[in-house]
Each structure stands twice: as structure tokens, then as C-alpha cells.
Amino acid sequence: MAASLQVLHDKLPLTDKCHHYDDVDDVPPHIQKYWHQRYSIFDYYDQGVQLTDDAWFGVTPEPVANQIAQDLCTKTSKTTLIDLFGGAGGNVIAFASSFHFTRIIAIEKDAATLACAQHNAEVYGVTEYITFVLGDSLHYLSLLRHNPSALDPAIRVDPNQTTIFASPPWGGVAYREHEVFDLSTMEPYNLEKLYKACFPLETTLFLPRSSDLNQIAELLASNEEDTKLDVVQYCMEGASKAMVVYVPESKPLHQDDEGWSIAVEKDYSQ
Ligand SMILES: C[S@@+](CC[C@H](N)C(=O)[O-])C[C@H]1O[C@@H](n2cnc3c(N)ncnc32)[C@H](O)[C@@H]1O
């Protein structure tokens, strides 16, 4: 089981899916709009930043990623951060650059995208602070919950010291067509699935800007009556890029005789 989570000790090779475009004529038409914003996405773009063509749609622009990292650092007392959806590294590079966390783990299931993330972390000089993992982050969370000893020691964490960052795929750009985006329809992981996978850990969710706040409040209230949530719209050039929800941990995180497996008051593991 653990074999499907590969802790990387070396750089994955960049593949023919990884690109650094210098000339607009080389850029596929559907991503030219993003390429024109390349310096807002990665300030060091010209230092050789690499992206897959898909990653252009999902990467968090550097100023937003830096602000989120700064905000999370002021909110959390945790020392370990897990980025469940590492992508090409937009967020995890910002977290590493904050020098707030003593451990940072970035999980990404697509090898070419992860190769870009490792490469980009090197461009930004933060590779040594990040443990990169090739694999399925939901599988990782499941092992962390049910069978932590099956995890490679390099990615075993103390849940009491861990904060989760989740910037999942949003299922394409269809969310833009909705005044209020129904988070139960988000693909491939809807809000409930994500929340249950991360529960009871402190979690930061990076969601579409028009996400339905009522759904978020209802889900949280179903578990913790008095929980207060910070919900922040992160804007650039006058437009929101994302709604970020800071979910506090649910107490108690339980330590049992076998180690630090998570025991929860409300069992979401079914
Ligand atoms: C929106 S992007 C993340 C962008 C990232 N925050 C950045 O700034 O570069 C979502 C990423 O999650 C990856 N992904 C989707 N499901 C996953 C899973 N179960 N485990 C790990 N990665 C996953 C996708 O391949 C994609 O690269």
C-alpha cells in the first residue's frame, strides 16, 4: 500500500510535458492568457520556471500564495505543513519561503507536475525544506488515520503538530459561470469529501471565489457547534482569485498506545 506513495530523494526528471515558454508563438492558444500573466504567477519566471500545460490553470499566483503563507503563519502554532495538492509548487514554495514550518510535505499525483514543482522549488532556493511525495494525498490521509506505521518514516507526522493545506482541482473553469458555486458538485473531490478526509486536523481550504458559504458553515456546524471560521477572499488587480477557509482542528486529537494514530470523536472514516 505504502508503495503507491513515493517519497522522492532525488529530482524527478522533467518530461516532454514540462515547458518553459519564452515566446508566445510556442504557447498553446488556450494558455496564452495565463502566459501573459507569467510574472504575476512566478516572479522568477525568467529563471527557468517550468509548468505543464494543465498546471497553468491551477497554479496559485505568487502574491496570493505569499499572502496565504503569511496569514497561515500568524494563525497556526503547528510546525508541520502538508500540501495535499502540490501542483507545480505555487503554494508550497511560498510556505517554504516563510521559514515558519520545520517540516513541509508536498504530495502530487502527477509525475510531470511534481517534476515541475521540484524544479521550481530549486529556482526559488527552497528544495531542501520540502519533502516531495508522488502519490495520492487522500490515500496518504487514510493511512495517517488508520495505519500510520505503514507510512514511510519520512512522511509520518504528529497530527497534533500538523496543519493541512488543500488546493484541490476545482473541476475546470465552470465555477465562473455560477454566482454561487455549489461545492457539492466540485470535481473530483467535493467539499464534504475533502473535509471528511482532513478531519480532525487543522485545515486550510483553497476554494473557488464564489463558493457557497452556507455549505461551508453547515458542514462545520454539523461537527462543532461553536466553531468560528476565518474565510478570506484573496484578490489581485481588483479581482478575487480564491476563497480560502481556515478550519481549526477539532479536539481532541488522541494519542494511543500504538503511537499517534488519530482518534476522533465523530468518525468520518466510513
Ligand atoms: C489546483 S492544482 C494545485 C496547484 C498548487 N497549489 C500550485 O499553486 O501549484 C491541483 C493539483 O492536485 C493534483 N491532484 C489531484 N488529485 C490529487 C490527489 N488525490 N493526490 C495528489 N494530488 C492530486 C493535480 O494533479 C493538480 O496538480
Side-chain angles (χ1 to χ4, degrees):
M1 254 179 131
S4 62
L5 289 162
Q6 188 188 347
V7 178
L8 301 182
H9 299 290
D10 296 305
K11 269 184 80 178
L12 285 174
L14 293 167
T15 73
D16 58 2
K17 287 188 182 166
C18 309
H19 302 284
H20 175 85
Y21 295 119
D22 277 322
D23 189 329
V24 69
D25 292 336
D26 298 331
V27 183
H30 65 293
I31 52 177
Q32 287 186 1
K33 173 181 144 190
Y34 300 95
W35 182 83
H36 286 296
Q37 301 165 30
R38 60 198 179 285
Y39 300 118
S40 318
I41 296 175
F42 281 109
D43 197 25
Y44 289 6
Y45 184 82
D46 283 350
Q47 265 65 60
V49 162
Q50 293 271 341
L51 292 165
T52 63
D53 288 352
D54 286 344
W56 283 95
F57 296 99
V59 64
T60 303
E62 189 169 328
V64 172
N66 284 339
Q67 190 61 51
I68 292 170
Q70 197 177 313
D71 291 350
L72 182 60
C73 292
T74 60
K75 288 175 195 298
T76 189
S77 59
K78 309 298 182 192
T79 52
T80 297
L81 178 133
I82 300 174
D83 186 342
L84 294 185
F85 304 99
N91 289 103
V92 80
I93 289 169
F95 289 126
S97 303
S98 74
F99 297 109
H100 178 85
F101 299 100
T102 53
R103 284 180 79 189
I104 297 181
I105 295 168
I107 308 173
E108 167 57 50
K109 70 173 190 180
D110 181 67
T113 309
L114 191 56
C116 293
Q118 284 184 299
H119 175 87
N120 297 337
E122 194 166 61
V123 167
Y124 277 77
V126 293
T127 317
E128 65 191 282
Y129 307 110
I130 305 168
T131 302
F132 290 98
V133 181
L134 178 61
D136 179 344
S137 54
L138 297 196
H139 177 53
Y140 171 78
L141 287 176
S142 173
L143 284 180
L144 186 61
R145 182 188 296 274
H146 296 295
N147 190 10
S149 58
L151 289 169
D152 184 316
I155 52 173
R156 276 182 216 158
V157 298
D158 175 354
N160 290 296
Q161 286 305 323
T162 299
T163 194
I164 302 280
F165 178 78
S167 57
W170 293 347
V173 292
Y175 71 90
R176 291 188 193 149
E177 292 153 21
H178 302 268
E179 201 173 319
V180 177
F181 180 60
D182 179 352
L183 289 164
S184 70
T185 66
M186 191 164 69
E187 293 285 350
Y189 320 108
N190 67 18
L191 175 68
E192 194 175 357
K193 180 161 182 160
L194 277 176
Y195 177 74
K196 288 178 178 178
C198 299
F199 180 87
L201 302 179
E202 180 183 279
T203 301
T204 301
L205 297 171
F206 185 94
L207 300 171
R209 62 186 173 217
S210 55
S211 296
D212 188 340
L213 267 179
N214 287 326
Q215 290 176 323
I216 295 165
E218 273 166 26
L219 191 60
L220 269 285
S222 69
N223 184 53
E224 302 253 334
E225 278 167 19
D226 285 334
T227 303
K228 273 196 183 169
L229 283 181
D230 283 345
V231 179
V232 182
Q233 292 281 357
Y234 286 89
C235 303
M236 263 175 69
E237 293 152 14
S240 175
K241 295 287 173 193
M243 176 192 286
V244 175
V245 183
Y246 295 91
V247 184
E249 73 187 329
S250 292
K251 300 230 180 232
L253 291 182
H254 179 70
Q255 194 127 11
D256 65 23
D257 293 343
E258 296 185 349
W260 37 258
S261 58
I262 304 168
V264 297
E265 286 181 315
K266 181 162 181 170
D267 190 354
Y268 273 137
S269 59
Q270 307 310 313

PDB file of all heavy atoms in Angstrom, residues 58-60 83-91 107-110 113 135-138 165 167-169 188-189, ligand 1:
ATOM      1  N   GLY A  58      -4.147  25.946 -12.644  1.00  0.00           N
ATOM      2  CA  GLY A  58      -4.361  25.723 -11.209  1.00  0.00           C
ATOM      3  C   GLY A  58      -3.342  26.386 -10.308  1.00  0.00           C
ATOM      4  O   GLY A  58      -3.555  26.470  -9.100  1.00  0.00           O
ATOM      5  N   VAL A  59      -2.243  26.855 -10.885  1.00  0.00           N
ATOM      6  CA  VAL A  59      -1.175  27.363 -10.024  1.00  0.00           C
ATOM      7  C   VAL A  59      -1.615  28.652  -9.317  1.00  0.00           C
ATOM      8  O   VAL A  59      -2.281  29.506  -9.912  1.00  0.00           O
ATOM      9  CB  VAL A  59       0.119  27.570 -10.847  1.00  0.00           C
ATOM     10  CG1 VAL A  59      -0.049  28.621 -11.912  1.00  0.00           C
ATOM     11  CG2 VAL A  59       1.299  27.903  -9.951  1.00  0.00           C
ATOM     12  N   THR A  60      -1.275  28.739  -8.043  1.00  0.00           N
ATOM     13  CA  THR A  60      -1.635  29.939  -7.272  1.00  0.00           C
ATOM     14  C   THR A  60      -0.614  31.033  -7.552  1.00  0.00           C
ATOM     15  O   THR A  60       0.597  30.810  -7.380  1.00  0.00           O
ATOM     16  CB  THR A  60      -1.644  29.619  -5.758  1.00  0.00           C
ATOM     17  OG1 THR A  60      -2.560  28.539  -5.539  1.00  0.00           O
ATOM     18  CG2 THR A  60      -2.079  30.830  -4.951  1.00  0.00           C
ATOM     19  N   ASP A  83       0.959  19.899   2.146  1.00  0.00           N
ATOM     20  CA  ASP A  83       0.242  20.427   0.981  1.00  0.00           C
ATOM     21  C   ASP A  83      -0.288  19.215   0.221  1.00  0.00           C
ATOM     22  O   ASP A  83       0.484  18.460  -0.389  1.00  0.00           O
ATOM     23  CB  ASP A  83       1.199  21.267   0.127  1.00  0.00           C
ATOM     24  CG  ASP A  83       0.487  21.962  -1.026  1.00  0.00           C
ATOM     25  OD1 ASP A  83      -0.643  21.548  -1.366  1.00  0.00           O
ATOM     26  OD2 ASP A  83       1.071  22.899  -1.603  1.00  0.00           O
ATOM     27  N   LEU A  84      -1.600  19.026   0.286  1.00  0.00           N
ATOM     28  CA  LEU A  84      -2.197  17.801  -0.287  1.00  0.00           C
ATOM     29  C   LEU A  84      -2.175  17.782  -1.806  1.00  0.00           C
ATOM     30  O   LEU A  84      -2.244  16.721  -2.424  1.00  0.00           O
ATOM     31  CB  LEU A  84      -3.656  17.672   0.157  1.00  0.00           C
ATOM     32  CG  LEU A  84      -3.943  17.441   1.626  1.00  0.00           C
ATOM     33  CD1 LEU A  84      -5.438  17.230   1.811  1.00  0.00           C
ATOM     34  CD2 LEU A  84      -3.177  16.239   2.162  1.00  0.00           C
ATOM     35  N   PHE A  85      -2.182  18.958  -2.418  1.00  0.00           N
ATOM     36  CA  PHE A  85      -2.279  19.045  -3.876  1.00  0.00           C
ATOM     37  C   PHE A  85      -1.164  19.984  -4.359  1.00  0.00           C
ATOM     38  O   PHE A  85      -1.408  21.139  -4.699  1.00  0.00           O
ATOM     39  CB  PHE A  85      -3.665  19.573  -4.283  1.00  0.00           C
ATOM     40  CG  PHE A  85      -4.814  18.748  -3.741  1.00  0.00           C
ATOM     41  CD1 PHE A  85      -5.503  19.138  -2.599  1.00  0.00           C
ATOM     42  CD2 PHE A  85      -5.178  17.556  -4.354  1.00  0.00           C
ATOM     43  CE1 PHE A  85      -6.550  18.373  -2.087  1.00  0.00           C
ATOM     44  CE2 PHE A  85      -6.222  16.779  -3.852  1.00  0.00           C
ATOM     45  CZ  PHE A  85      -6.917  17.188  -2.720  1.00  0.00           C
ATOM     46  N   GLY A  86       0.039  19.441  -4.356  1.00  0.00           N
ATOM     47  CA  GLY A  86       1.223  20.295  -4.539  1.00  0.00           C
ATOM     48  C   GLY A  86       1.286  21.035  -5.861  1.00  0.00           C
ATOM     49  O   GLY A  86       1.851  22.120  -5.950  1.00  0.00           O
ATOM     50  N   GLY A  87       0.714  20.449  -6.917  1.00  0.00           N
ATOM     51  CA  GLY A  87       0.738  21.095  -8.223  1.00  0.00           C
ATOM     52  C   GLY A  87       2.160  21.421  -8.642  1.00  0.00           C
ATOM     53  O   GLY A  87       3.107  20.671  -8.366  1.00  0.00           O
ATOM     54  N   ALA A  88       2.333  22.574  -9.296  1.00  0.00           N
ATOM     55  CA  ALA A  88       3.652  22.973  -9.787  1.00  0.00           C
ATOM     56  C   ALA A  88       4.429  23.756  -8.730  1.00  0.00           C
ATOM     57  O   ALA A  88       5.480  24.315  -9.020  1.00  0.00           O
ATOM     58  CB  ALA A  88       3.501  23.798 -11.062  1.00  0.00           C
ATOM     59  N   GLY A  89       3.870  23.824  -7.522  1.00  0.00           N
ATOM     60  CA  GLY A  89       4.650  24.370  -6.412  1.00  0.00           C
ATOM     61  C   GLY A  89       4.277  25.776  -5.968  1.00  0.00           C
ATOM     62  O   GLY A  89       4.897  26.309  -5.039  1.00  0.00           O
ATOM     63  N   GLY A  90       3.288  26.375  -6.587  1.00  0.00           N
ATOM     64  CA  GLY A  90       2.950  27.763  -6.257  1.00  0.00           C
ATOM     65  C   GLY A  90       2.815  28.003  -4.760  1.00  0.00           C
ATOM     66  O   GLY A  90       3.462  28.891  -4.193  1.00  0.00           O
ATOM     67  N   ASN A  91       1.998  27.217  -4.096  1.00  0.00           N
ATOM     68  CA  ASN A  91       1.794  27.430  -2.660  1.00  0.00           C
ATOM     69  C   ASN A  91       2.953  26.909  -1.822  1.00  0.00           C
ATOM     70  O   ASN A  91       3.396  27.586  -0.886  1.00  0.00           O
ATOM     71  CB  ASN A  91       0.495  26.772  -2.189  1.00  0.00           C
ATOM     72  CG  ASN A  91      -0.714  27.509  -2.703  1.00  0.00           C
ATOM     73  OD1 ASN A  91      -1.365  27.068  -3.648  1.00  0.00           O
ATOM     74  ND2 ASN A  91      -1.015  28.655  -2.111  1.00  0.00           N
ATOM     75  N   ILE A 107       2.480  16.716  -1.637  1.00  0.00           N
ATOM     76  CA  ILE A 107       2.047  15.495  -2.326  1.00  0.00           C
ATOM     77  C   ILE A 107       1.404  15.883  -3.658  1.00  0.00           C
ATOM     78  O   ILE A 107       0.599  16.831  -3.712  1.00  0.00           O
ATOM     79  CB  ILE A 107       1.036  14.704  -1.462  1.00  0.00           C
ATOM     80  CG1 ILE A 107       1.607  14.480  -0.054  1.00  0.00           C
ATOM     81  CG2 ILE A 107       0.683  13.369  -2.123  1.00  0.00           C
ATOM     82  CD1 ILE A 107       0.619  13.853   0.927  1.00  0.00           C
ATOM     83  N   GLU A 108       1.762  15.157  -4.689  1.00  0.00           N
ATOM     84  CA  GLU A 108       1.191  15.421  -6.019  1.00  0.00           C
ATOM     85  C   GLU A 108       1.137  14.093  -6.756  1.00  0.00           C
ATOM     86  O   GLU A 108       2.094  13.321  -6.731  1.00  0.00           O
ATOM     87  CB  GLU A 108       2.068  16.449  -6.767  1.00  0.00           C
ATOM     88  CG  GLU A 108       1.803  16.612  -8.254  1.00  0.00           C
ATOM     89  CD  GLU A 108       0.349  16.987  -8.595  1.00  0.00           C
ATOM     90  OE1 GLU A 108      -0.187  17.935  -8.005  1.00  0.00           O
ATOM     91  OE2 GLU A 108      -0.231  16.309  -9.463  1.00  0.00           O
ATOM     92  N   LYS A 109       0.024  13.855  -7.412  1.00  0.00           N
ATOM     93  CA  LYS A 109      -0.133  12.525  -8.040  1.00  0.00           C
ATOM     94  C   LYS A 109       0.394  12.462  -9.461  1.00  0.00           C
ATOM     95  O   LYS A 109       0.582  11.374  -9.998  1.00  0.00           O
ATOM     96  CB  LYS A 109      -1.586  12.088  -7.990  1.00  0.00           C
ATOM     97  CG  LYS A 109      -2.499  12.866  -8.885  1.00  0.00           C
ATOM     98  CD  LYS A 109      -3.887  12.252  -8.886  1.00  0.00           C
ATOM     99  CE  LYS A 109      -4.724  12.903  -9.967  1.00  0.00           C
ATOM    100  NZ  LYS A 109      -6.073  12.396 -10.049  1.00  0.00           N
ATOM    101  N   ASP A 110       0.626  13.613 -10.087  1.00  0.00           N
ATOM    102  CA  ASP A 110       1.092  13.598 -11.477  1.00  0.00           C
ATOM    103  C   ASP A 110       2.609  13.833 -11.516  1.00  0.00           C
ATOM    104  O   ASP A 110       3.096  14.882 -11.066  1.00  0.00           O
ATOM    105  CB  ASP A 110       0.361  14.692 -12.264  1.00  0.00           C
ATOM    106  CG  ASP A 110       0.797  14.705 -13.718  1.00  0.00           C
ATOM    107  OD1 ASP A 110       0.504  13.722 -14.436  1.00  0.00           O
ATOM    108  OD2 ASP A 110       1.482  15.660 -14.121  1.00  0.00           O
ATOM    109  N   THR A 113       3.962  17.038 -13.253  1.00  0.00           N
ATOM    110  CA  THR A 113       3.672  18.249 -12.469  1.00  0.00           C
ATOM    111  C   THR A 113       4.589  18.322 -11.255  1.00  0.00           C
ATOM    112  O   THR A 113       5.105  19.399 -10.911  1.00  0.00           O
ATOM    113  CB  THR A 113       2.192  18.243 -12.018  1.00  0.00           C
ATOM    114  OG1 THR A 113       1.372  18.001 -13.154  1.00  0.00           O
ATOM    115  CG2 THR A 113       1.795  19.571 -11.396  1.00  0.00           C
ATOM    116  N   GLY A 135       2.143  10.639  -5.338  1.00  0.00           N
ATOM    117  CA  GLY A 135       1.079   9.722  -4.955  1.00  0.00           C
ATOM    118  C   GLY A 135      -0.218  10.443  -4.650  1.00  0.00           C
ATOM    119  O   GLY A 135      -0.351  11.650  -4.868  1.00  0.00           O
ATOM    120  N   ASP A 136      -1.141   9.673  -4.117  1.00  0.00           N
ATOM    121  CA  ASP A 136      -2.500  10.148  -3.864  1.00  0.00           C
ATOM    122  C   ASP A 136      -2.600  10.657  -2.417  1.00  0.00           C
ATOM    123  O   ASP A 136      -2.448   9.882  -1.471  1.00  0.00           O
ATOM    124  CB  ASP A 136      -3.452   8.965  -4.102  1.00  0.00           C
ATOM    125  CG  ASP A 136      -4.905   9.326  -3.854  1.00  0.00           C
ATOM    126  OD1 ASP A 136      -5.186  10.365  -3.225  1.00  0.00           O
ATOM    127  OD2 ASP A 136      -5.766   8.537  -4.280  1.00  0.00           O
ATOM    128  N   SER A 137      -2.876  11.926  -2.271  1.00  0.00           N
ATOM    129  CA  SER A 137      -2.887  12.506  -0.921  1.00  0.00           C
ATOM    130  C   SER A 137      -4.057  11.999  -0.076  1.00  0.00           C
ATOM    131  O   SER A 137      -3.968  11.964   1.145  1.00  0.00           O
ATOM    132  CB  SER A 137      -2.924  14.026  -1.002  1.00  0.00           C
ATOM    133  OG  SER A 137      -3.995  14.457  -1.801  1.00  0.00           O
ATOM    134  N   LEU A 138      -5.150  11.590  -0.706  1.00  0.00           N
ATOM    135  CA  LEU A 138      -6.265  11.058   0.091  1.00  0.00           C
ATOM    136  C   LEU A 138      -5.900   9.678   0.643  1.00  0.00           C
ATOM    137  O   LEU A 138      -6.284   9.313   1.756  1.00  0.00           O
ATOM    138  CB  LEU A 138      -7.556  11.018  -0.723  1.00  0.00           C
ATOM    139  CG  LEU A 138      -8.071  12.388  -1.196  1.00  0.00           C
ATOM    140  CD1 LEU A 138      -9.517  12.297  -1.640  1.00  0.00           C
ATOM    141  CD2 LEU A 138      -7.930  13.474  -0.148  1.00  0.00           C
ATOM    142  N   PHE A 165      -2.867  21.936   4.091  1.00  0.00           N
ATOM    143  CA  PHE A 165      -3.269  22.918   3.076  1.00  0.00           C
ATOM    144  C   PHE A 165      -3.809  22.140   1.881  1.00  0.00           C
ATOM    145  O   PHE A 165      -3.154  21.214   1.394  1.00  0.00           O
ATOM    146  CB  PHE A 165      -2.078  23.796   2.652  1.00  0.00           C
ATOM    147  CG  PHE A 165      -2.455  24.776   1.586  1.00  0.00           C
ATOM    148  CD1 PHE A 165      -3.159  25.933   1.907  1.00  0.00           C
ATOM    149  CD2 PHE A 165      -2.156  24.541   0.248  1.00  0.00           C
ATOM    150  CE1 PHE A 165      -3.556  26.833   0.922  1.00  0.00           C
ATOM    151  CE2 PHE A 165      -2.545  25.429  -0.739  1.00  0.00           C
ATOM    152  CZ  PHE A 165      -3.243  26.584  -0.396  1.00  0.00           C
ATOM    153  N   SER A 167      -5.424  22.729  -1.897  1.00  0.00           N
ATOM    154  CA  SER A 167      -5.894  23.490  -3.057  1.00  0.00           C
ATOM    155  C   SER A 167      -6.264  22.476  -4.136  1.00  0.00           C
ATOM    156  O   SER A 167      -5.472  22.183  -5.038  1.00  0.00           O
ATOM    157  CB  SER A 167      -4.817  24.459  -3.572  1.00  0.00           C
ATOM    158  OG  SER A 167      -3.636  23.768  -3.896  1.00  0.00           O
ATOM    159  N   PRO A 168      -7.445  21.903  -4.016  1.00  0.00           N
ATOM    160  CA  PRO A 168      -7.830  20.809  -4.915  1.00  0.00           C
ATOM    161  C   PRO A 168      -8.130  21.326  -6.313  1.00  0.00           C
ATOM    162  O   PRO A 168      -8.314  22.539  -6.509  1.00  0.00           O
ATOM    163  CB  PRO A 168      -9.124  20.295  -4.267  1.00  0.00           C
ATOM    164  CG  PRO A 168      -9.705  21.521  -3.627  1.00  0.00           C
ATOM    165  CD  PRO A 168      -8.536  22.310  -3.119  1.00  0.00           C
ATOM    166  N   PRO A 169      -8.216  20.414  -7.282  1.00  0.00           N
ATOM    167  CA  PRO A 169      -8.752  20.834  -8.583  1.00  0.00           C
ATOM    168  C   PRO A 169     -10.189  21.330  -8.363  1.00  0.00           C
ATOM    169  O   PRO A 169     -10.886  20.830  -7.474  1.00  0.00           O
ATOM    170  CB  PRO A 169      -8.756  19.530  -9.403  1.00  0.00           C
ATOM    171  CG  PRO A 169      -7.852  18.586  -8.675  1.00  0.00           C
ATOM    172  CD  PRO A 169      -7.900  18.970  -7.235  1.00  0.00           C
ATOM    173  N   PRO A 188     -12.732  16.532  -8.722  1.00  0.00           N
ATOM    174  CA  PRO A 188     -13.237  15.215  -8.362  1.00  0.00           C
ATOM    175  C   PRO A 188     -13.550  15.067  -6.863  1.00  0.00           C
ATOM    176  O   PRO A 188     -14.076  14.036  -6.476  1.00  0.00           O
ATOM    177  CB  PRO A 188     -12.086  14.285  -8.747  1.00  0.00           C
ATOM    178  CG  PRO A 188     -10.863  15.107  -8.574  1.00  0.00           C
ATOM    179  CD  PRO A 188     -11.251  16.521  -8.898  1.00  0.00           C
ATOM    180  N   TYR A 189     -13.200  16.073  -6.061  1.00  0.00           N
ATOM    181  CA  TYR A 189     -13.445  15.954  -4.616  1.00  0.00           C
ATOM    182  C   TYR A 189     -14.333  17.106  -4.203  1.00  0.00           C
ATOM    183  O   TYR A 189     -13.933  18.267  -4.312  1.00  0.00           O
ATOM    184  CB  TYR A 189     -12.133  16.015  -3.823  1.00  0.00           C
ATOM    185  CG  TYR A 189     -10.993  15.271  -4.469  1.00  0.00           C
ATOM    186  CD1 TYR A 189      -9.938  15.956  -5.059  1.00  0.00           C
ATOM    187  CD2 TYR A 189     -10.985  13.878  -4.521  1.00  0.00           C
ATOM    188  CE1 TYR A 189      -8.902  15.279  -5.676  1.00  0.00           C
ATOM    189  CE2 TYR A 189      -9.958  13.190  -5.140  1.00  0.00           C
ATOM    190  CZ  TYR A 189      -8.917  13.903  -5.720  1.00  0.00           C
ATOM    191  OH  TYR A 189      -7.909  13.230  -6.341  1.00  0.00           O
TER     192      TYR A 189
HETATM  193  C1  LIG B   1      -5.169  23.266  -8.324  1.00  0.00           C
HETATM  194  S1  LIG B   1      -3.798  22.280  -8.550  1.00  0.00           S
HETATM  195  C2  LIG B   1      -2.756  22.751  -7.201  1.00  0.00           C
HETATM  196  C3  LIG B   1      -1.934  23.967  -7.516  1.00  0.00           C
HETATM  197  C4  LIG B   1      -0.886  24.310  -6.485  1.00  0.00           C
HETATM  198  N1  LIG B   1      -1.462  24.805  -5.272  1.00  0.00           N
HETATM  199  C5  LIG B   1       0.064  25.347  -7.077  1.00  0.00           C
HETATM  200  O1  LIG B   1      -0.002  26.509  -6.671  1.00  0.00           O
HETATM  201  O2  LIG B   1       0.838  24.983  -7.957  1.00  0.00           O
HETATM  202  C6  LIG B   1      -4.348  20.701  -8.045  1.00  0.00           C
HETATM  203  C7  LIG B   1      -3.310  19.595  -8.195  1.00  0.00           C
HETATM  204  O3  LIG B   1      -3.755  18.469  -7.448  1.00  0.00           O
HETATM  205  C8  LIG B   1      -3.304  17.300  -8.102  1.00  0.00           C
HETATM  206  N2  LIG B   1      -4.131  16.213  -7.568  1.00  0.00           N
HETATM  207  C9  LIG B   1      -5.429  15.922  -7.828  1.00  0.00           C
HETATM  208  N3  LIG B   1      -5.847  14.893  -7.075  1.00  0.00           N
HETATM  209  C10 LIG B   1      -4.788  14.534  -6.294  1.00  0.00           C
HETATM  210  C11 LIG B   1      -4.601  13.546  -5.290  1.00  0.00           C
HETATM  211  N4  LIG B   1      -5.586  12.714  -4.925  1.00  0.00           N
HETATM  212  N5  LIG B   1      -3.394  13.459  -4.696  1.00  0.00           N
HETATM  213  C12 LIG B   1      -2.387  14.291  -5.053  1.00  0.00           C
HETATM  214  N6  LIG B   1      -2.505  15.239  -5.999  1.00  0.00           N
HETATM  215  C13 LIG B   1      -3.687  15.374  -6.602  1.00  0.00           C
HETATM  216  C14 LIG B   1      -3.491  17.609  -9.568  1.00  0.00           C
HETATM  217  O4  LIG B   1      -2.660  16.768 -10.351  1.00  0.00           O
HETATM  218  C15 LIG B   1      -3.090  19.097  -9.606  1.00  0.00           C
HETATM  219  O5  LIG B   1      -1.729  19.217  -9.938  1.00  0.00           O
END
